Amino acid sequence: MTRRPRGLRPEEQELWQRIAASAQPLHPGRPLAEPKAHVPTHQVPQVDVPRKKPRPEVKDFRIGQSAPDLAFRMDLAPSVSDRLAAAPVRMDHKTHKTMTRGRLEPEARIDLHGMTLAEAHPELTHFILRSAMAGRRLVLVITGKGKRGLDNGPIPQRQGVLRHQVPQWLTMPPLGALVLQVVQAHLKHGGAGAFYVYLRRGR
């Protein structure tokens, strides 16, 4: 806080006058400066000195400490199993329940495990077309669960590309018009690595 000037006391003013009278001026032509008159303390104008704002307390922090934890895999799409389980049941409910419990035996099956997408797509198409022509209702498509590859990039890779692609093929032309329901197979028929494909009744 700035100290206020107090001025000269009477005895200090008298001493100043005696010293000034005995001093030899350096510049005789200039008038001597008069000492400032004593100003009583109660007449000194009060000056409001603005107070400094208190500095905010800064706690220890670490850069990125509030960022969300991205250690988990950023795969926001539902899994194949969840997507098929959430699909509406278009076939007979009683038959659907029996089928999902593994109590219906597939009339034919195809194993696409180990094939590339380019190899598997025509094989699946021919198999479904032949099964529909033969009047079959329930067939089993085996894809395998697939292996998770190296995932060092920013875009997560799905496990089992063929397993994810087959249900889409079964809903697209020309197979979509023949397929009534696609359900993940029971454990006795392959579980997550296979699908029950229930075909429409031949017209």
Side-chain angles (χ1 to χ4, degrees):
M1 187 174 181
T2 306
R3 298 181 59 184
R4 302 187 185 119
R6 62 177 178 83
L8 296 175
R9 297 190 179 94
E11 62 271 15
E12 294 173 340
Q13 188 175 3
E14 182 183 354
L15 177 62
W16 166 259
Q17 290 176 352
R18 284 189 295 171
I19 295 174
S22 62
Q24 296 295 328
L26 295 176
H27 304 282
R30 292 183 182 180
L32 295 176
E34 295 292 333
K36 294 183 179 180
H38 174 67
V39 180
T41 306
H42 66 276
Q43 294 182 3
V44 177
Q46 301 293 328
V47 180
D48 294 333
V49 179
R51 294 183 179 181
K52 293 184 179 180
K53 296 182 179 181
R55 298 181 65 180
E57 181 182 359
V58 180
K59 299 181 180 180
D60 294 338
F61 70 96
R62 177 176 54 84
I63 296 177
Q65 64 183 11
S66 300
D69 183 11
L70 299 181
F72 57 87
R73 297 180 60 82
M74 296 291 292
D75 191 356
L76 303 181
S79 65
V80 176
S81 302
D82 293 339
R83 189 167 67 248
L84 294 179
V89 178
R90 294 185 294 269
M91 58 185 290
D92 179 72
H93 285 259
K94 185 177 180 180
T95 305
H96 179 271
K97 189 174 183 180
T98 305
M99 179 181 66
T100 54
R101 291 181 176 179
R103 296 178 181 175
L104 285 183
E105 194 63 29
E107 302 171 60
R109 65 184 65 201
I110 183 173
D111 190 351
L112 305 177
H113 183 254
M115 295 186 185
T116 64
L117 294 179
E119 295 169 343
H121 195 185
E123 290 294 330
L124 176 66
T125 302
H126 296 155
F127 171 73
I128 296 297
L129 291 176
R130 290 195 302 269
S131 297
M133 292 178 61
R136 298 168 184 152
R137 301 301 307 275
L138 178 62
V139 297
L140 182 69
V141 178
I142 302 171
T143 62
K145 297 180 181 180
K147 296 181 180 179
R148 186 183 297 279
L150 295 177
D151 192 4
N152 299 324
I155 302 177
Q157 299 179 2
R158 291 187 182 276
Q159 179 179 1
V161 178
L162 190 60
R163 177 172 173 265
H164 284 80
Q165 192 64 46
V166 163
Q168 298 183 29
W169 288 339
L170 293 171
T171 59
M172 296 167 55
L175 304 183
L178 304 175
V179 175
L180 185 62
Q181 196 84 41
V182 180
V183 181
Q184 181 175 296
H186 189 269
L187 287 176
K188 66 180 293 186
H189 292 132
F195 299 103
Y196 292 135
V197 180
Y198 199 80
L199 302 177
R200 298 179 184 274
R201 190 180 300 276
R203 298 176 180 176

